[in-house]
Amino acid sequence: MIGKLKGVVDSYGEDFVILDVQGVGYVVHCSARTLQRLPPVGEATSLSIETFVREDMIRLYGFRSDAEREWFRLLQTVQGVGAKVALGVLSVLEPPALATAIATGDKGAIARAPGVGPRLAARVTAELKDKAPAFSPIDPALVALSGAVEEGTAPQPVSDAISALVNLGYQQAQASAAVAAALKGAGEGAEAKTLIRLGLRELAR
């Protein structure tokens, strides 16, 4: 079982890199985000590896960090998510952003990944919501706020502020995080316009 490879980049393919390790070329499949961050051909790098062994093939998947590899494994515990879809999710969301999207129920962010429709995105957020905070330092207040918004129990000014920020082009997770931070400073009784102003200030940081 291969857990890590350290070598020289030999060449790139559409969804893989060939890593030369002491004269042996390993084909390692990676997310688009990982491939973009690897060095040019001829330079050294290292990758955390997940090895898939089947009757008809052995396939290696590479990651820039152990956290990315853990998310690759975790995503595949959801029915309908295989290695290809898991890599697709990791191509559009880095581990911290993925953890936040799942913890806050931001199905739209996950549905941006190739091969992920609204139904599968909803399944990912539902099944992994309790596990996401363990993989990233997410503010519990943000999780609680997002849950209240989704269930329709959040105060109206909070819902209005998040909706306004989303309408301005921010992602649901970004808007929720900004309003959660704004609430800490403004207090529970703050008006929507105050939360929007403070939320925009948070987003501008």
Side-chain angles (χ1 to χ4, degrees), residues 132-184:
F135 285 81
S136 183
I138 300 170
D139 187 348
L142 171 58
V143 178
L145 175 65
S146 299
V149 170
E150 189 169 350
E151 293 166 9
T153 58
Q156 194 62 44
V158 171
S159 297
D160 290 346
I162 292 175
S163 178
L165 294 179
V166 169
N167 289 337
L168 288 173
Y170 293 101
Q171 296 294 326
Q172 180 80 27
Q174 289 178 303
S176 295
V179 172
L183 267 176
K184 288 183 178 179

Side-chain angles (χ1 to χ4, degrees), residues 91-146:
S91 292
V92 299
L93 291 169
E94 292 186 277
L98 176 57
T100 300
I102 291 173
T104 59
D106 188 359
K107 297 181 284 290
I110 297 169
R112 297 204 319 269
V116 180
R119 186 175 299 177
L120 184 54
R123 192 183 304 147
V124 169
T125 56
E127 294 187 19
L128 300 183
K129 189 167 186 177
D130 292 339
K131 300 176 182 178
F135 285 81
S136 183
I138 300 170
D139 187 348
L142 171 58
V143 178
L145 175 65
S146 299

Side-chain angles (χ1 to χ4, degrees), residues 35-104:
L35 288 174
Q36 290 167 3
R37 294 186 175 182
L38 290 177
V41 170
E43 293 192 14
T45 191
S46 63
L47 290 169
S48 294
I49 300 294
E50 182 76 359
T51 307
F52 277 24
V53 180
R54 296 177 181 170
E55 290 184 2
D56 57 342
M57 71 167 189
I58 298 175
R59 179 166 288 193
L60 305 179
Y61 295 93
F63 309 93
R64 292 282 287 166
S65 67
D66 290 341
E68 187 184 17
R69 182 175 62 185
E70 288 304 314
W71 270 111
F72 178 72
R73 293 170 176 169
L74 190 61
L75 283 165
Q76 291 179 83
T77 65
V78 178
Q79 183 182 359
V81 178
K84 185 176 181 180
V85 170
L87 282 184
V89 173
L90 291 168
S91 292
V92 299
L93 291 169
E94 292 186 277
L98 176 57
T100 300
I102 291 173
T104 59

